[in-house]
Amino acid sequence: MSDTLLLNSNYEPISVLPLSVINWQHAIKLMYLGRVHVLETYPNWIVHSERLAINVPSVCVTRDYFHYKQHVKFSRYNLYMRDLFKCQYCDDVFDYEELTIDHVVPRMHGGKTNWLNCVTSCKSCNFKKGSNVNVKPRIKPYRPDYYSLVNKWKSMPFTVKQDSWNQYLGLNKQIA
Ligand SMILES: [Zn+2]
């Protein structure tokens, strides 16, 4: 599980897609190594070592600026985000669980699983389409740039593990 939000030394998340979170054991290790400062802890979550009681960090900041390569990783979540959780065949919006990755050129015809050959599709459109290559999606698949994807992410309602994280995520609207 990922419990601790890791911020860069400029107090912005090191990455948001995926969000830079680490598990608490890792966070405590980095804290002892002097690599991060703890900004916030979980008030009611204390772990014990042999001699110490430690509040589990909820937000940490790296001491040195971390140069994160801002390329956009292909993932199911990021693909749905690029397409705003909209099926690219029927144009309806669906929940994560109701969506699938559609290969525009089907895998059986050599289609790859990447930004340029995949779109978001609801289960029923994907099933109806099958391996019919004549059914075309509404958009031509493309590789999104990091900042456009981050902006889409910021405009969507979502939940984070801790309310206090929102202030670091640069969100300018109320979370649903
Ligand atoms: Zn659909």
Side-chain angles (χ1 to χ4, degrees), residues 87 90 122 125:
C87 172
C90 66
C122 72
C125 287

Side-chain angles (χ1 to χ4, degrees), residues 86-94 98-99 120-126 128:
K86 235 184 209 189
C87 172
Q88 294 305 313
Y89 295 96
C90 66
D91 210 29
D92 270 342
V93 174
F94 293 88
E98 297 168 82
L99 291 171
T120 303
S121 167
C122 72
K123 284 180 178 164
S124 110
C125 287
N126 205 341
K128 269 186 264 165

Side-chain angles (χ1 to χ4, degrees), residues 62-91:
T62 59
R63 203 188 53 188
D64 302 315
Y65 188 77
F66 186 82
H67 290 275
Y68 180 73
K69 225 172 151 202
Q70 292 178 323
H71 73 288
V72 185
K73 190 171 151 233
F74 179 86
S75 69
R76 179 177 296 275
Y77 184 82
N78 286 352
L79 178 73
Y80 296 169
M81 185 62 64
R82 181 198 69 184
D83 298 343
L84 294 170
F85 288 81
K86 235 184 209 189
C87 172
Q88 294 305 313
Y89 295 96
C90 66
D91 210 29

